[in-house]
């Protein structure tokens, strides 16, 4: 009796082990193959992970350059180019503008000018974006920030020209031209995404946003040693 009790589990162990091996065989044959298929699909989607770093950097630089060209010539720009948003270009343009305006500021005001430009650009783009979304704009948050950030590129050009020097009338003319350039470029993209009967409400924050940046450029140009 005792030997039979202890013999029964021993007779069952091989069967259970064999069944487990069969299940493992089924798992490796079925589930792992489907998993391999999904991983292959992921590999196709993430193929850029295998490319050299220099190629990735050059591709991103070409993307940023194409978007800047869209801002410089908005009439011939492809809307889809800026819909594929990125934040590298706006970040570089914002940092460049803040660095230029703080470079010629008085020593005790350099950090204040840099922080002011950075906060105005970031907060202003956020406010304009939220306003466009509340007006029923068909655009995502980061797409709007991307467009507004790239559209300060003409004002970056204005800051370089004004900091080089020149009479006040010349600087006013340069900032005015680049202001309208930035505003018209952003309206060309944002206007198509906001309902027609609400475009005027979307224009006003854009006007204030780029006006504040242009005013900062004029103030910084007055303290430039070349002016």
């Amino acid at each position: 009796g005792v030997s039979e009790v202890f013999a029964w589990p021993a007779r069952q162990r091989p069967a259970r082990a064999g069944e487990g091996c069969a299940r493992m065989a089924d798992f490796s044959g079925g589930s792992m193959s489907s998993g391999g298929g999904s991983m292959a699909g992921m590999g196709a989607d993430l193929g850029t992970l295998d490319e050299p770093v220099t190629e990735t950097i050059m591709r991103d630089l070409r993307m940023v350059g194409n978007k800047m060209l869209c801002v410089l010539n908005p009439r011939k720009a492809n809307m889809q180019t800026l819909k594929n948003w990125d934040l590298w270009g706006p970040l570089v343009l914002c940092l460049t503008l803040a660095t230029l305006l703080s470079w010629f500021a008085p020593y005790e005001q350099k950090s204040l000018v840099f922080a002011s430009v950075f906060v105005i650009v970031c907060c202003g783009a956020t406010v304009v974006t939220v306003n466009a979304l509340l007006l029923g704009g068909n655009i995502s948050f980061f797409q709007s920030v991307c467009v507004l950030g790239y559209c300060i590129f003409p004002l970056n050009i204005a800051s370089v020209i004004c900091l080089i020097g020149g009479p006040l009338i010349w600087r006013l003319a340069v900032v005015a031209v680049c202001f309208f350039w930035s505003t018209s470029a952003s309206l060309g993209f944002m206007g198509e995404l906001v309902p027609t009967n609400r475009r005027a409400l979307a224009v006003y924050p854009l006007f204030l946003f780029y006006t504040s940046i242009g005013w900062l450029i004029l103030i910084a140009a007055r303290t430039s040693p070349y002016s």
Side-chain angles (χ1 to χ4, degrees):
V2 176
S3 61
E4 291 180 357
V5 171
F6 285 99
W8 178 73
R11 288 194 299 268
Q12 295 297 324
R13 287 192 190 99
R16 293 179 64 184
E19 182 181 358
C21 292
R23 290 179 180 176
M24 290 178 63
D26 294 337
F27 176 76
S28 62
S31 301
M32 290 298 289
S33 62
S34 60
S38 62
M39 290 299 291
M42 291 176 62
D45 295 336
L46 302 177
T48 56
L49 294 176
D50 299 329
E51 69 181 11
V53 177
T54 54
E55 185 175 347
T56 302
I57 294 175
M58 292 305 299
R59 187 183 67 251
D60 292 340
L61 290 176
R62 286 193 296 269
M63 176 185 64
V64 172
N66 289 334
K67 291 178 181 178
M68 288 184 179
L69 290 177
C70 290
V71 172
L72 292 177
N73 192 5
R75 294 184 178 181
K76 297 183 179 180
N78 183 7
M79 185 64 181
Q80 191 61 36
T81 302
L82 283 178
K83 280 187 175 181
N84 297 327
W85 61 269
D86 72 276
L87 299 181
W88 286 113
L91 178 61
V92 170
L93 291 174
C94 178
L95 291 176
T96 302
L97 182 63
T99 302
L100 286 172
L101 298 186
S102 63
W103 185 266
F104 297 109
Y107 180 78
E108 64 277 5
Q109 297 181 1
K110 288 182 180 294
S111 59
L112 178 61
V113 172
F114 185 92
S116 299
V117 174
F118 195 83
V119 170
I120 288 174
V121 172
C122 295
C123 293
T126 301
V127 170
V128 173
T129 299
V130 172
N131 178 69
L133 292 175
L134 292 177
L135 292 175
N138 185 22
I139 188 172
S140 70
F141 179 83
F142 290 110
Q143 283 178 341
S144 177
V145 171
C146 174
V147 171
L148 295 172
Y150 274 105
C151 287
I152 67 173
F153 181 49
L155 289 171
N156 279 48
I157 299 175
S159 66
V160 175
I161 297 174
C162 291
L163 291 174
I164 290 176
L168 178 61
I169 299 300
W170 164 251
R171 285 176 283 167
L172 285 173
V174 170
V175 172
V177 170
C178 292
F179 162 76
F180 285 109
W181 198 348
S182 295
T183 305
S184 61
S186 60
L187 287 177
F189 298 108
M190 300 287 290
E192 297 182 5
L193 304 172
V194 178
T196 306
N197 57 342
R198 298 180 178 178
R199 286 182 181 175
L201 297 175
V203 170
Y204 182 66
L206 281 174
F207 181 84
L208 292 179
F209 176 56
Y210 292 115
T211 298
S212 61
I213 298 176
W215 183 252
L216 287 176
I217 294 173
L218 289 175
I219 294 176
R222 292 183 59 187
T223 62
S224 173
Y226 303 107
S227 58

